[in-house]
Structures are given as C-alpha cells and as structure tokens.
Amino acid sequence: MLGVVGQLAHFDVEFTTDEIVLGSDTDPFTGRHRHCAGDGASHSGEPHDVGIHAARSKTQDDRHVRYEAIVDAEHGGAGLAARHRSVTAVWLVETHVAKSTRGDRRRVRGGRDSVASMDTPHDEAPRFRFAPSPTGFFHVGGARTALFNWALARRRGGRFVLRIEDTDAERNRDEWIDGIIDALAWLGISADDPTFEGPYMQSDNRQAHIDAATRLYESGHAYYCDLTPDQIAERAAADGGAGYGGWSRDAGLGPGPDRVLRFRVPDGTTVVSDGVRGEVEFDNGVIEDFVLVRSDGSPVFNLANVVDDHLMGITDVVRAEEHLSNTPKQQMLVTALGWAVPRWGHVPVLVNEQRKKLSKRRDRVALEQYRDEGYLADAMVNYLMTLGWSAGDDVEIRPWAEIEQLFDLGGVNLSPAFFDVRKLGAFNGEYIRALDTVAFIDAVDPWLPTQWDRMRFSRIAEHIQPRLTTLSEAAGVVDFLFSDEPVRDAPSWDKVMSADYAAGLLDAVIEAYATIDPAGFDAATTKAELERVMEPFSLKLGKAQAPVRVAVTGRTVGPPLFESLEVLGSEETLRRLRAARTDLVS
RNA sequence: GCCCCCAUCGUCUAGUGGCCUAGGACACCACCCUUUCAAGGUGGCGGCACGGGUUCGAAUCCCGUUGGGGGUGCCA
C-alpha cells in the first residue's frame, strides 16, 4: 500500500536482506550507486530520476533495512512502487500516516501544497469555511481561525465561505452580520473579494437539517427516545454514573411529542484524518447516542453543522481544537448521510496566562476592543498568525501577502498558545514606526480630540510616532500642546523643581528666550540658548532641560523638548515658564 | 470518572536522528547612543518536564510517568 501526500512524501520502505546486499553502494530505488544500508550520514544528494530527493536508512537488523525517502510528485508514488516491483520481487511500502503521533504528522509536512490531496475525493477548488456564532463581539481566537482559513482559501485558489451559526437567535440579525462583516473586513477579509462567499445563516437551513434527520431516522441510523434529561441522570446514577447508555435504542419509538431523535452510534472506530494532527482514532464505544433533534423539534449543532457544510460544498473544515471531540460524531453523520467527508484541520486554541482557553468572561478577547485601543489591523493580523504557526524560519514580522503564500496547516503547532498582549504591543509599535509620517497622522487621527488643530499636531507627529505602542496613547503624549495650561504632575514637579538650580536656571532661560525673535523661535535656537545659559550651572543638557520641560509640559517625560517648544511658540512657552517660576517662589 | 489532544527559555517559536555548546522574537538586565522617554545598536540572563528504552549517536523515534489543555449537553 502506498499513499502519497502532496508534492513531497516521505515513507518507509522495508525490504529483506535477501533482496539487497547490506552495505552495498547500490541505491535500491534506482539501481544506482547510492546509500549503504545503515549509512545514515549520506542522506543528501542530487534528485534522482525517479524523483527521489533523499533517502536515508533508518534502522536495520539482520533481516530488514528501513528506508525513508522523499519523493517527487511528478513521478508519483505509484510509479515508484511499480519501479520497486520491477527491481525486486517483494516490497513493503507504507506511509507513515498511520497513527496520531507527532512523528507521523511531521512526515506529512513536506506536502505543504496539498495535504492529503491525493487521498481525498475533492478535485475541485477547495472550499473553506468560517462559522462563527454571533455573540455580540468578535473573539480574537475566531479572528485567527478566520485568518487561517482565509490564507488557505486564497493561496489554494478556493473559497472562504462565511456562515453564521445563529441557531439560538435572540438579537437582531442585521446587527450581528454587520458586526462580523466589519470585523472580518478590518482583518482584511473583505466581503468584496472574489474569494469571499456568504454570509449564509445557519437558521435558513433549518428545513434541510430536519430533512436530513428524517432521512437518518428512516434509514435506521437514528431513533426516537422519550427520556428526559432528569430521567437519564437518575438512571445513570442508579447504574453507576455512566451517561445516557442507549436506553431507548431498541424501543422502536416513533416520532412524538417530548421525544428527541438520537443517532445510533455504530460499533467500531472512527478515524479522523486531520491536516494538523495526523490521524486521530476514536472508539465509537465511548461515544453516546447523541441527540440530533431536540424534543421541541429543533436540530442540534452537530447535525446542523454537517448538513450546512454539505449544502455549501465545504471541502475543508479548519477550526479550533475544541471541536476535535465533536468530529467523530460529525464524521459518522456525514458517512451515514452518504456524503463526502471533508478534510479536517483542528488548530490549537488560544489561552490566557493561566493556560485556560480564552474566555469572554475573564479575558480581553474582543477584537473590537483592540481596534478601539489603536492596534493596527496589520499588526494584529501578523501577531495572530504567529500564534501556533511559523513559516519555519526566524522571521516573525512579515506582510500578509507573504504569510498568505507561506501558510499551511502542516506548519501549525499542536499546543495552545498564550495570547500575549505585550508582544502584540511590540508588533504594533513596529507597525506604527513603519508607517510614513503622513500615513501615521492619518492613522492616529481618530484618536485625537476633534477640536485639536491638525496642523499643529502634524508638526509634532514624527516625534511621537516612535514612542507609541498603541495609537490611543498619542493624545496623552502631546496634550500640553493643545491645552491652555499644562497638567502638572505633582511627583514630576516636586522632583525637578526642588533642585537648587531650578529657580536660577528658569530665570536665565526666561531672560534668554524673551530675547529670541518669535519668528525664529525654533528648536535649534531654543536648544542653543538653553545650552548657553546653563553653562554657569555646570549641568548636562539632560538635567538642565528638566525644569523647562516640567514648566512647559507638566511632566518629566514627553516628546523632544525643543521641538515641542517650537510648536508651542514663543509667547506660550514664555508664559508657562514665567508661571512656573512664580509658583516656584511660593 | 471516561475519551481525545499536547509538552523546547517566563511567553511565542526554530528544530523532521549527527549541522545543537539548542537558533530567533517578546519580556527582563547591562552598556552604547542621547534632549527626558522612546526608538536604534551591542551584549547578557534564561529552555529540551521526568524516567526508561531504540541507536555508534536522541530535543528529535518508542513506552511509561507527571503536568497542561479540550471534550464528555435537548450549547455552539
């Protein structure tokens, strides 16, 4: 049996020592001189004409030699197998993708372009989907999942289908739809892009869900059950605390009031083939006969999900890991319904500092909140993509166009990732600094008080740009340029103005600045004048500027002082200096 | 309880049996630059959870333990 996974495949070849000579120089695949069995060091080399890029011996004993090879898709696994047969009589070729171990997954990673593509029946353009349930805000974890799907859909020339899972409808539909569409658009997932499709509403498919349920009942895959949750709990307790336990399985009940429809879970095992985690095996015996239709006639998530995906022609389901345990149920439903099983891909969840799944109750998870605080969409997107995924190199900050080309499920990590706002902030600062000044001014604008003079702000903009982590901090940094009076920070004042030189220096500065022609009151001049008058004080510029800074801005920290003075102007600067000098006396 | 997944610096990650004395980024510390604070530059601190195997050789493969996460609904 041979399975080729994508363009590149790794697989083991086992053969007996009867067929090759141990220690020989002959490559068993090509007949050329190549590796010695057991010669693990010589695993690099030129591609071979049958498409073997590399082969290396893995283990050996006196009966078997195991080879691992990377094969070119052009020549195909089948061709290779044929070649084997022509060379020797008995070959045992097998893929590694047998169990859900990390190692197995790793071996399929070479197949970056089309994970498991030759094993699946979907030849047409892949259709991905993003299926959020409307909660009133957009979860950052959902954002990442959406981005993953978007990247995949774009690169593989497929579609990104948006479906809103609104089964428990309470709020206003249009409101959710707009919120979700807006959030996606902010991330760069535009409903106007040809890759985008939807939104569809799960609730619109209700009849199809019911029809599927009926089909399942009629075909014997589902049965009615009249037990209430309380009764189940009672029986389970009496029985030793199992679960539902299939009580009504063979009761032969028909439809009726207060009856739920349950899926008859078949015996055996269900193997979920996952593009991120390899193959995951579930023993059906541990899966209860789950409910498909509630006693009020409404379809349940697992059913609705499967039906919707089928209706929408979804070929690839990429979602958070919390759904992995549901997947065998969904796969059984798909199979019972006679539909094609999609390719699954379960990406790890995002967690908080306590390593718990990000929750809206405890954690700051609303994408909108980050947007409102002045995180740039590009920074957020870039950061989100580094959580649980890397391109395999040392680069973290890279444009979306590149990410889109590089992203693949095989590169996704298996463990939960901590959503670290500090690192997000570092990314954001990076992106803010990368903006040209005009773009920066444009970007901060929404965070500036409307009455502020934009011209005035633009004169100081380049100086605050490298100092920001978020755009919302901008106003607080330069507020002294727009207010009548600086807001005096008491600790700053006390610390700086208590210096014995403060009063004398202020006097000297006031005198010097008063003689500067207001038209020539620029950064260079004010700096030069301060440097001149501070000489008798034997101070460094850093010390000498402190009283001036506090007098004019109210604080010890802020944008470069002389540039600030220039923007503030001669008159206002002098007024503030004099006011401070006066207050210093009392 | 049962099922599933996972395990490299504090955090996000690189790592696909020898290129590993384990690399990068964030954070932290120091120094340089400097007009405060940033930014920038240089350097530093810091990790393969543990125990067994397999192998000439293990962060890497196997088993176990421990730890973490997710699921186990007439939620999605």
Side-chain angles (χ1 to χ4, degrees), chain A residues 117 119-127 313-316 339-343:
Chain A
S117 61
D119 294 336
T120 59
H122 311 290
D123 295 328
E124 68 283 8
R127 291 171 62 80
I314 301 303
T315 59
D316 295 76
W339 298 333
V341 175
R343 300 178 197 102

Side-chain angles (χ1 to χ4, degrees), chain A residues 129-133 135 139-145 165 274 277 282 301-302 317-330 345-351 356-360 414 416:
Chain A
R129 46 79 133 184
F130 176 60
S133 52
T135 52
H139 195 288
V140 289
R144 189 187 61 151
T145 304
E165 309 221 319
D274 191 289
R277 335 186 82 89
F282 294 86
F301 165 75
N302 280 129
V317 175
V318 175
R319 69 226 308 191
E321 192 199 336
E322 63 206 77
H323 292 286
L324 184 56
S325 298
N326 283 319
T327 308
K329 297 180 186 174
Q330 295 180 193
H346 290 91
V347 305
V349 295
L350 261 26
V351 296
K356 299 280 186 214
K357 186 172 71 167
L358 244 36
S359 109
K360 64 176 172 184
L414 297 322

Side-chain angles (χ1 to χ4, degrees), chain A residues 230-503:
Chain A
D230 286 345
Q231 287 173 308
I232 291 169
E234 269 174 44
R235 297 201 190 202
D239 200 39
Y244 159 66
W247 293 90
S248 314
R249 247 193 171 202
D250 304 309
L253 261 31
D258 296 326
R259 288 181 183 176
V260 298
L261 185 69
R262 286 182 183 274
F263 184 70
R264 189 189 303 275
V265 175
D267 292 336
T269 58
T270 300
V271 177
V272 170
S273 180
D274 191 289
V276 177
R277 335 186 82 89
E279 307 211 328
V280 185
E281 199 173 310
F282 294 86
D283 176 2
N284 292 358
V286 303
I287 300 174
E288 295 270 23
D289 285 351
F290 53 95
V291 171
L292 297 176
V293 181
R294 300 185 184 94
S295 53
D296 68 359
S298 63
V300 128
F301 165 75
N302 280 129
L303 206 220
N305 214 268
V306 157
V307 173
D308 289 346
D309 283 346
H310 174 255
L311 248 34
M312 296 169 194
I314 301 303
T315 59
D316 295 76
V317 175
V318 175
R319 69 226 308 191
E321 192 199 336
E322 63 206 77
H323 292 286
L324 184 56
S325 298
N326 283 319
T327 308
K329 297 180 186 174
Q330 295 180 193
Q331 189 162 302
M332 285 187 279
L333 286 178
V334 173
T335 306
L337 258 0
W339 298 333
V341 175
R343 300 178 197 102
W344 308 107
H346 290 91
V347 305
V349 295
L350 261 26
V351 296
N352 62 20
E353 219 147 2
Q354 282 72 242
R355 306 240 117 227
K356 299 280 186 214
K357 186 172 71 167
L358 244 36
S359 109
K360 64 176 172 184
R361 298 189 62 122
R362 287 186 301 257
D363 310 304
R364 293 176 50 202
V365 298
L367 192 70
E368 292 89 342
Q369 189 183 349
Y370 291 100
R371 181 182 61 195
D372 294 347
E373 283 174 16
Y375 289 89
L376 261 23
D378 287 347
M380 176 60 87
V381 165
N382 194 160
Y383 175 63
L384 247 17
M385 293 302 288
T386 67
L387 293 179
W389 175 75
S390 112
D393 52 26
D394 284 340
V395 181
E396 288 189 320
I397 302 222
R398 51 167 37 115
W400 173 258
E402 238 172 77
I403 292 174
E404 199 173 274
Q405 289 311 309
L406 260 17
F407 182 79
D408 78 294
L409 245 29
V412 174
N413 267 84
L414 297 322
S415 355
F418 169 49
F419 183 83
D420 185 354
V421 181
R422 286 205 292 184
K423 187 151 183 178
L424 203 215
F427 271 56
N428 205 45
E430 226 31 91
Y431 273 89
I432 287 175
R433 271 171 256 128
L435 259 22
D436 64 55
T437 310
V438 174
F440 169 69
I441 291 169
D442 204 43
V444 249
D445 194 73
W447 282 268
L448 303 178
T450 48
Q451 68 274 20
W452 282 16
D453 176 358
R454 264 43 186 181
M455 276 310 294
R456 170 168 278 223
F457 178 80
S458 69
R459 294 173 65 194
I460 201 72
E462 64 169 304
H463 296 109
I464 67 166
Q465 188 175 353
R467 275 159 245 267
L468 300 181
T469 294
T470 63
L471 296 174
S472 60
E473 295 161 6
V477 175
V478 292
D479 56 354
F480 65 90
L481 290 175
F482 300 89
S483 55
D484 293 339
E485 294 295 336
V487 178
R488 280 188 195 161
D489 173 59
S492 294
W493 176 273
D494 294 345
K495 182 183 167 210
V496 171
M497 295 306 188
S498 63
D500 51 8
Y501 61 83

